[in-house]
Amino acid sequence: MLETSNAARLADLWDEARAASMSEAERLLYRSNLLGSDKRITNYGGGNTSAKVAQNDPLTGEAVEVLWVKGSGGDVGTIRLDGFATLYMDKLHALKGLYRGVEHEDEMVGYLPHCTFGLNPRAASIDTPLHAYVSRRHVDHMHPDAVIAIAAAKDSKALTREIFGGEIGWLPWKRPGYELGLWLEAFSRENPDAVGVVLEGHGLFTWADTARACYETTIRIINRAIEWFEGRTAGKAAFGGEAYRPLPAAERRAVAARLMPAIRGAISATGHKVGHFDDQAAVLEFVCSARMEELAALGTSCPDHFLRTKIRPLMVDFDPASPNAEATLAGLPAAIEAYRNDYAAYYERCKRPDSPAMRDPNAVVYLVPGVGMITFAADKATARISAEFYVNAINVMRGASSVSDYVGLPEQEAFDIEYWALEEAKLQRMPRPKPLAGRVALVTGGAGGIGRATAARLLADGACVVIADIDADALDTAGDELCGSFGNDVVRKVRLDVTSEDEIAAGFAAAAVDYGGLDILVSNAGLASSAPVEETTLALWNRNMDILATGYFLVSREAFRLFRQQGIGGNVVFVASKNGLAASPNASAYCTAKAAEIHLARCLALEGAAAQIRVNVVNPDAVLRGSKIWTGEWKEQRAAAYNMSTDDLEEHYRSRSMLKRSVYPEDIAEAVYFFVSDMSAKSTGNIINVDAGNAQSFTR
Ligand code: NAI
């Protein structure tokens, strides 16, 4: 939110004691990381920083001036030194002799690699000339919400003058590129007293001759904008005031859990999408306001914003005054279709003879009155970052509309950026998505040995994974470990007991809100027990039946419901057991429950096929390492059943196997992976034994 309290002011975090001993390049890095650490200064990946540094040429040994500038695709908050491109300033100036005018400006990007200093492999970005030609040593280009709010106001030129006097200039909208670089050069030369410039519809440039002065100027100018808004907006309701009360938090999540799988299903035809739900205060203020629809329809302004969020969001028809999710669901397919048609019409209206083919026409941002904002993208991080960008756009609309009229970018300009050949080239350079990218999996018993290995295997190939387990402590440990390896975006944990219908429903709803739905269920939670039949108590029998047979039924039923809401197929894998096929001494309750799981899988394979829901079984045997089952009394009971010491058990199972090999959790995970991946797209109702060979469990 564009806050207007003192707490909203940016602090000067520069530590001269630290910076004094740094090289010029290190000071640039320090400044960049300080600026990027605060989203009020710039959004993720947005903006760039530079310094012109005196260095020795590696060939001639002569002193040359080198431009260090954030490389293509980087983020100033997290950039390291190797994220900067380095270019000879004299060569950059020599490029002016090759410039054939604005209609040919894109070709200048092709010359940038020829200016590279020091064989630096980091690609120079489109914004390089914007930094190179400013006649100061240090340049910051930031996207602060408070300044973009000025840049996106109808009378932004007059406002810039009113707020900053002559200190900050103003340039009309111009797509970033070579021509804008020349404009900035001319401005900085003709206005030696100016410390920066507001770019209409875009953002802020600031400059100085030392790294510290540049940083302090950037902070001061942004604070000036924040302070000015404070004076102008205090006590005024934003966005024309509140039109609806937000629903209570739990109800907001419940509505999101109902809507998200349906949206996901409707927009995933060309590739599964992952969702993100955001109901922070700034979002709620906007989606409950009187002017939400009108302002959102104007589209976003800053190019970074709409590249991430598409030019405008889809407004979901939901009335928080008399909530009826069913009615909303009924209207969703038509609303989504209408959005796609609008997008196709925009493409047709604006396309040029050499425009790249139309990209996915589905909305990225879905605004639900009284509830919040839903975003969908090809992966979780992109969905989350798209939401962050739309929050920036909300802040901009809030500021601009409170002091003037907010203006979005003209449609053709927006199109020309979205379908810019250079933007397309950037997309083409992106690595191919991993096989499970866009897929969401829930693994029960995910805190145990096989469950955790399975989660790691699916995460390694790009899935988002919810680990579900009854053991909260083990869940924390497994969650921390998986987040450490794969990042916080793609791992969620949910505590649930697979014998509780309510807990299962809540766990699956959490997955729907966290990721938008579900593609893969790995039903794996379990236990093992051993007792001769005459000593098997009813309680022990029921425990096996409850957790294994009934537990597998309950989670599958919930997954089927969710799969059907999405309508894009689904995948269930049961981790059963060799003992479901082969009888084992003194384990009748366990073996029978495991046999029930296997037959349940066959029944579900039959029921799910028409909806492209596949159900398969992996049968482990004797996975001692990593398994909690094998740390308890089961190990002792098994050793007793075979009349040996527990230390000899692993060797016993290895030598009992036909292949004479031990089986590990990762081996089970590999078989699960095969079944959930498209490699096995034409298999359902199948069983893979992962038991190092055991004739007793050959399937017949
Ligand atoms: P594990 O004990 O390491 O993991 C099982 C997990 O399930 C544990 O984290 C546990 O907290 C969780 N769990 C138990 N009851 C639950 C409930 N009511 N609700 C939610 N979570 C619950 O055991 P392991 O070895 O990873 O076993 C996984 C599956 O593989 C089980 O179904 C087991 O029967 C099966 N299996 C294991 C074999 C082995 O040798 N380890 C052999 C054959 C089958």
Side-chain angles (χ1 to χ4, degrees):
M1 200 183 303
L2 198 66
E3 291 167 32
T4 50
S5 65
N6 279 337
R9 306 286 170 79
L10 307 173
D12 179 349
L13 301 174
W14 190 270
D15 178 353
E16 187 54 29
R18 266 186 75 189
S21 59
M22 293 177 182
S23 70
E24 201 63 278
E26 287 166 345
R27 263 194 291 273
L28 167 65
L29 176 66
Y30 176 55
R31 176 175 108 225
S32 307
N33 292 165
L34 281 185
L35 292 169
S37 66
D38 192 328
K39 294 280 168 284
R40 290 169 302 171
I41 300 176
T42 202
N43 43 18
Y44 177 83
N48 26 55
T49 47
S50 70
K52 300 177 181 90
V53 180
Q55 287 185 259
N56 288 335
D57 187 283
L59 290 182
T60 64
E62 279 172 24
V64 287
E65 192 176 35
V66 177
L67 176 73
W68 285 66
V69 59
K70 187 191 92 170
S72 181
D75 168 54
V76 289
T78 51
I79 196 170
R80 307 264 60 99
L81 269 184
D82 65 3
F84 289 93
T86 47
L87 305 98
Y88 287 95
M89 274 303 296
D90 56 351
K91 294 190 183 187
L92 286 167
H93 279 301
L95 291 185
K96 289 177 196 160
L98 297 171
Y99 187 47
R100 297 194 294 147
V102 66
E103 59 282 13
H104 302 286
E105 69 168 348
D106 286 1
E107 72 187 17
M108 301 309 287
V109 175
Y111 292 122
L112 293 178
H114 295 281
C115 305
T116 304
F117 173 86
L119 301 179
N120 184 350
R122 176 66 56 190
S125 87
I126 295 161
D127 285 1
T128 302
L130 280 55
H131 288 259
Y133 298 150
V134 170
S135 60
R136 295 302 181 96
R137 304 197 75 75
H138 296 267
V139 180
D140 287 337
H141 167 41
M142 296 287 117
H143 290 163
D145 293 344
V147 177
I148 303 180
I150 298 159
K154 192 171 150 201
D155 47 353
S156 91
K157 187 175 183 180
L159 289 177
T160 303
R161 175 113 210 128
E162 178 185 338
I163 300 165
F164 303 109
E167 196 179 25
I168 293 282
W170 180 91
L171 291 175
W173 162 258
K174 177 92 206 129
R175 189 174 72 173
Y178 200 81
E179 182 74 13
L180 184 57
L182 296 179
W183 286 17
L184 282 160
E185 176 178 40
F187 177 85
S188 63
R189 286 197 192 287
E190 287 160 18
N191 299 277
D193 294 335
V195 297
V197 66
V198 166
L199 301 182
E200 186 188 22
H202 185 167
L204 173 70
F205 266 79
T206 33
W207 49 67
D209 282 327
T210 67
R212 181 179 182 175
C214 190
Y215 170 79
E216 287 174 353
T217 302
T218 304
I219 297 293
R220 182 171 63 77
I221 294 298
I222 299 171
N223 272 338
R224 173 79 193 105
I226 292 173
E227 193 180 287
W228 182 83
F229 272 108
E230 201 173 286
R232 290 288 292 265
T233 58
K236 271 211 240 165
F239 307 125
E242 190 178 85
Y244 317 98
R245 291 297 306 148
L247 294 182
E251 283 174 44
R252 296 200 294 269
R253 284 182 70 82
V255 173
R258 293 287 286 120
L259 300 185
M260 288 176 78
I263 297 174
R264 182 168 189 257
I267 64 171
S268 290
T270 54
H272 287 210
K273 305 264 172 48
V274 181
H276 183 78
F277 176 63
D278 190 334
D279 60 352
Q280 60 174 287
V283 170
L284 281 181
E285 182 186 43
F286 187 58
V287 300
C288 293
S289 73
R291 296 187 63 198
M292 183 263 277
E293 209 152 315
E294 165 214 338
L295 286 167
L298 293 175
T300 52
S301 55
C302 178
D304 257 30
H305 294 177
F306 71 75
L307 278 176
R308 294 282 190 166
T309 64
K310 282 228 168 73
I311 188 156
R312 57 182 60 87
L314 187 154
M315 261 79 73
V316 176
D317 183 14
F318 178 80
D319 180 4
S322 56
N324 183 348
E326 295 310 315
T328 302
L329 284 170
L332 259 182
I336 288 171
E337 188 57 30
Y339 186 97
R340 281 199 280 252
N341 291 339
D342 273 1
Y343 185 85
Y346 150 77
Y347 178 84
E348 287 303 322
R349 266 196 313 278
C350 300
K351 74 173 179 196
R352 301 189 184 264
D354 55 351
S355 291
M358 187 177 84
R359 303 197 192 104
D360 182 4
N362 288 298
V364 173
V365 179
Y366 300 78
L367 299 177
V368 191
V371 173
M373 166 172 63
I374 294 164
T375 48
F376 274 101
D379 57 67
K380 178 66 181 182
T382 310
R384 174 180 56 72
I385 292 167
S386 301
E388 284 175 10
F389 274 79
Y390 203 75
V391 172
N392 291 124
I394 289 174
N395 290 340
V396 167
M397 289 187 274
R398 186 181 202 274
S401 67
S402 65
V403 296
S404 174
D405 285 334
Y406 165 77
V407 266
L409 210 54
E411 183 175 85
Q412 188 66 52
E413 289 294 333
F415 179 89
D416 288 345
I417 290 216
E418 194 175 347
Y419 284 92
W420 196 359
L422 300 174
E423 196 59 41
E424 175 74 7
K426 206 157 134 188
L427 293 177
Q428 299 301 336
R429 278 201 302 271
M430 304 252 283
R432 272 172 65 83
K434 292 182 177 167
L436 295 183
R439 306 293 162 113
V440 182
L442 187 144
V443 181
T444 69
I450 292 171
R452 197 194 300 203
T454 299
R457 181 66 187 88
L458 305 187
L459 286 160
D461 260 0
C464 296
V465 176
V466 181
I467 50 171
D469 207 290
I470 196 170
D471 182 340
D473 291 341
L475 207 48
D476 283 344
T477 311
D480 289 350
E481 191 185 290
L482 292 168
C483 283
S485 304
F486 299 99
N488 294 338
D489 275 325
V490 288
V491 181
R492 293 286 182 276
K493 49 189 192 191
V494 33
R495 205 219 66 93
L496 62 80
D497 178 347
V498 296
T499 66
S500 159
E501 290 184 84
D502 289 348
E503 289 182 22
I504 291 171
F508 277 67
V513 177
D514 280 334
Y515 292 126
L518 192 74
D519 303 294
I520 296 164
L521 166 68
V522 182
S523 183
N524 159 80
L527 76 168
S529 71
S530 177
V533 66
E534 61 277 25
E535 288 168 26
T536 299
T537 61
L538 180 59
L540 186 66
W541 173 267
N542 284 342
R543 202 166 126 71
N544 278 276
M545 287 299 163
D546 286 350
I547 295 175
L548 300 174
T550 310
Y552 277 47
F553 151 67
L554 288 175
V555 292
S556 305
R557 187 180 68 179
E558 200 65 29
F560 263 59
R561 288 174 177 160
L562 198 43
F563 292 157
R564 289 198 196 279
Q565 280 174 35
Q566 291 177 138
I568 47 173
N571 212 309
V572 178
V573 177
F574 281 4
V575 177
S577 171
K578 177 214 88 180
N579 287 359
L581 296 172
S584 191
N586 298 345
S588 56
Y590 177 74
C591 294
T592 308
K594 284 290 177 187
E597 287 175 4
I598 294 173
H599 205 60
L600 173 63
R602 295 188 183 105
C603 296
L604 299 184
L606 193 69
E607 271 190 52
Q612 295 297 315
I613 301 171
R614 299 194 287 124
V615 186
N616 291 289
V617 176
V618 173
N619 284 333
D621 186 35
V623 184
L624 276 70
R625 285 194 206 163
S627 168
K628 281 187 277 169
I629 289 178
W630 287 96
T631 56
E633 54 184 23
W634 167 258
K635 192 173 188 178
E636 279 154 28
Q637 290 158 348
R638 285 290 91 190
Y642 294 118
N643 211 5
M644 61 180 61
S645 98
T646 52
D647 291 345
D648 297 330
L649 263 183
E650 187 165 354
E651 178 54 22
H652 162 75
Y653 284 116
R654 190 191 67 76
S655 56
R656 188 183 76 174
S657 75
M658 287 162 48
L659 297 170
K660 308 288 179 228
R661 302 186 70 173
S662 295
V663 182
Y664 302 123
E666 293 72 26
D667 301 320
I668 312 305
E670 204 59 50
V672 173
Y673 173 74
F674 172 71
F675 273 141
V676 304
S677 76
D678 290 343
M679 285 189 291
S680 64
K682 294 168 190 175
S683 284
T684 192
N686 268 316
I687 298 174
I688 294 182
N689 292 327
V690 187
D691 55 4
N694 188 316
Q696 259 191 307
S697 54
F698 282 180
T699 48
R700 282 170 264 263

